[in-house]
Amino acid sequence: MSPAGCPHVNGFKVDNWKQNLRVIYQCFVWSGSAETRKRKAKSCICHMCGAHLNRLHSCLYCVFFACFAKKHIHEHAKSKRHNLAIDLLYGGIYCFMCQDYIYDKDMEQIAKEEQRKAWKMQGNTVLYRYTCVCVCIGEKYSTWEPTKRELELLRHNPKRRRITSNCTIGLRGLINLGNTCFMNCIVQALTHTPLLRDFFLSDRHKCEMQSNSCLVCEMSQLFQEFYSGHRSPHIPFRLLHLVWTHARHLAGYEQQDAHEFLIAALDVLHRHCKDDNGKKANNPNHCNCIIDQIFTGGLQSDVTCQVCHGVSTTIDPFWDISLDLPGSSTPFWPLSPGGDGSALNGESHTTGATTLTDCLRRFTRPEHLGSSAKIKCSGCHSYQESTKQLTMKKLPIVACFHLKRFEHSAKLRRKITTYVSFPLELDMTPFMASSKESRMNGQYQQTVDPFNNDNKYSLFAVVNHQGTLESGHYTTFIRQHKDQWFKCDDAIITKASIKDVLDSEGYLLFYHKQFLEYE
């Protein structure tokens, strides 16, 4: 289509075309009221094959519904010489002469006005699902349009920052304020979490607290600092002060645990976020804050009675998964290299090496609770021995795995240095509750489906701990762009290779879902 726009639109713009177009948007596209939605569901079917799907379009001249995928609407346009049709799902207008979706300023204005009206009428109705999290569309989620002030700023600042393959924007060191490497390493991981970055850089946080006490406001400012292009190390003194204020067990200049800081930071951020109703989001099961949208998954626990085989199921939210390691005082499940699905996740199984898949297999294996932990079975109505099995009911967008390297018990206080091989890409399908039927005696009968990408993840950050339990130091590997990795050591950032990342010991592993689900 030429830059001048579609020349065939003028044939439609006659008489009461604006009113006619509004009626089509109201009745067959946006459908704001319950009545119009019912009418759309009943009437919007292909007049040729009777299908509801296959990208239904409506002719703008005679309101004829037909499939785009099967080219039924194309046949109608050719026979009737009606050149324009509207997509009933997205509202785009297609020109059969230009063979493309077109843009017309007047039509676009009508579409936006009718869409806003429909959003207001629907209120809290769920319009689409995003990565299994319900997102309610309202006026505040309408399309961004620049204000006069923003247009003025854009005119006076015509230079655009180009994101090239070797661009270092977003990379910035953090000054150590006295044993604060535990905080710095988590900040680096969070500031390079893609959806969290997009949330804060698009000014989505609407604060209802005092800004000087809100950790979400400080994180928003931190993202601005990281992605401003400045190269000098940032001094996170305000962040440290807020952490001390809201998580008092982390206050002081002693070395703290990075995993403990991560959970505390997510908890405070979660409490300071507001849900769609303006109430404090203090229930992890019913919260739509950005932290829960990204980090919260559902862990299913199935307890099976050994007598009647009745199953009691509970589902609990989680932000991370803590995995036992060989060498700990907890008995580790003996695993045989190579034949357990490790190859599915691309992990190199060197002789005697433990993989992340091994740890996840142990985490999700059935466990006999024994005679000392009998439960009252609802089927037998008596206390019976049982088995317990954990699986993933719902996967988060970002999966964080905590390798339990620090052991604290009555007899032992030590660090476990067992090497754990972890992959760049991870498939979580074998550990889903839906895959439970494929487990037989602790072995997975898992078929590899290269086209099923729903549960596949990519590594984007690794937190490491060097040293001993009493004296140590935290660093982070973060991924910048697709295959570029950098090591963040407080104020110093250096280029790293993929080998450096995969050969590291690993304490916290951050994986991001490869594909996000839109409807």
Side-chain angles (χ1 to χ4, degrees), residues 385-399:
E385 291 188 22
S386 59
T387 60
K388 180 180 179 181
Q389 185 172 12
L390 299 174
T391 50
M392 309 295 163
K393 179 64 175 177
K394 172 185 171 292
L395 291 173
I397 296 176
V398 170

Side-chain angles (χ1 to χ4, degrees), residues 352-485:
T354 302
T355 69
L356 179 61
T357 304
D358 291 339
C359 298
L360 285 167
R361 286 184 60 211
R362 184 191 185 281
F363 182 78
T364 56
R365 84 194 194 282
E367 179 185 3
H368 185 67
L369 297 181
S371 57
S372 61
K374 290 183 178 181
I375 62 163
K376 188 172 183 179
C377 176
S378 57
C380 302
H381 302 290
S382 60
Y383 286 91
Q384 304 290 348
E385 291 188 22
S386 59
T387 60
K388 180 180 179 181
Q389 185 172 12
L390 299 174
T391 50
M392 309 295 163
K393 179 64 175 177
K394 172 185 171 292
L395 291 173
I397 296 176
V398 170
C400 175
F401 300 105
H402 165 225
L403 304 183
K404 295 162 73 171
R405 296 198 173 277
F406 302 123
E407 189 170 44
H408 302 271
S409 64
K411 297 180 179 179
L412 289 172
R413 288 188 75 254
R414 59 172 182 152
K415 178 185 175 183
I416 300 168
T417 58
T418 305
Y419 173 70
V420 176
S421 170
F422 50 89
L424 285 173
E425 296 187 349
L426 177 68
D427 188 355
M428 288 292 289
T429 303
F431 316 110
M432 297 292 293
S434 56
S435 301
K436 187 178 176 182
E437 293 76 15
S438 67
R439 290 185 182 85
M440 300 174 66
N441 299 322
Q443 297 297 318
Y444 296 108
Q445 309 298 316
Q446 185 70 30
T447 57
V448 179
D449 182 2
F451 300 105
N452 182 12
N453 297 310
D454 293 344
N455 306 321
K456 291 185 178 178
Y457 285 78
S458 293
L459 185 71
F460 74 93
V462 178
V463 172
N464 284 292
H465 179 270
Q466 291 90 36
T468 64
L469 192 65
E470 291 75 22
S471 176
H473 181 61
Y474 288 102
T475 59
T476 308
F477 286 109
I478 57 98
R479 189 183 67 190
Q480 178 86 342
H481 305 304
K482 186 177 181 181
D483 294 319
Q484 292 191 54
W485 286 85

Side-chain angles (χ1 to χ4, degrees), residues 165-172 188 192 460-462 464 475-489 492-498 500-501:
S165 59
N166 59 352
C167 179
T168 58
I169 188 169
L171 294 174
R172 194 168 183 186
Q188 292 288 359
H192 289 89
F460 74 93
V462 178
N464 284 292
T475 59
T476 308
F477 286 109
I478 57 98
R479 189 183 67 190
Q480 178 86 342
H481 305 304
K482 186 177 181 181
D483 294 319
Q484 292 191 54
W485 286 85
F486 291 86
K487 182 179 181 180
C488 304
D489 186 351
I492 302 171
I493 296 181
T494 54
K495 191 81 183 283
S497 67
I498 293 177
D500 294 332
V501 178

Side-chain angles (χ1 to χ4, degrees), residues 46 48-49 64 66-77:
C46 178
M48 290 190 179
C49 68
F64 179 90
C67 303
F68 192 93
K70 293 184 178 179
K71 296 192 179 297
H72 291 158
I73 192 69
H74 297 71
E75 295 173 21
H76 171 81

Side-chain angles (χ1 to χ4, degrees), residues 340-359:
D340 56 2
S342 300
L344 176 68
N345 281 319
E347 292 165 312
S348 57
H349 226 318
T350 57
T351 304
T354 302
T355 69
L356 179 61
T357 304
D358 291 339
C359 298

Side-chain angles (χ1 to χ4, degrees), residues 22-82:
R22 287 185 186 277
V23 170
I24 292 173
Y25 274 114
Q26 291 168 6
C27 296
F28 305 124
V29 183
W30 306 130
S31 305
S33 67
E35 183 183 344
T36 54
R37 287 199 295 276
K38 288 180 182 177
R39 189 186 307 139
K40 178 180 177 179
K42 289 181 180 179
S43 61
C44 291
I45 59 174
C46 178
H47 288 175
M48 290 190 179
C49 68
H52 284 84
L53 303 176
N54 297 323
R55 292 177 60 193
L56 275 181
H57 283 57
S58 170
C59 174
L60 284 185
Y61 297 89
C62 60
V63 195
F64 179 90
F65 304 132
C67 303
F68 192 93
K70 293 184 178 179
K71 296 192 179 297
H72 291 158
I73 192 69
H74 297 71
E75 295 173 21
H76 171 81
K78 185 176 181 180
S79 62
K80 298 292 185 179
R81 294 186 179 180
H82 293 172

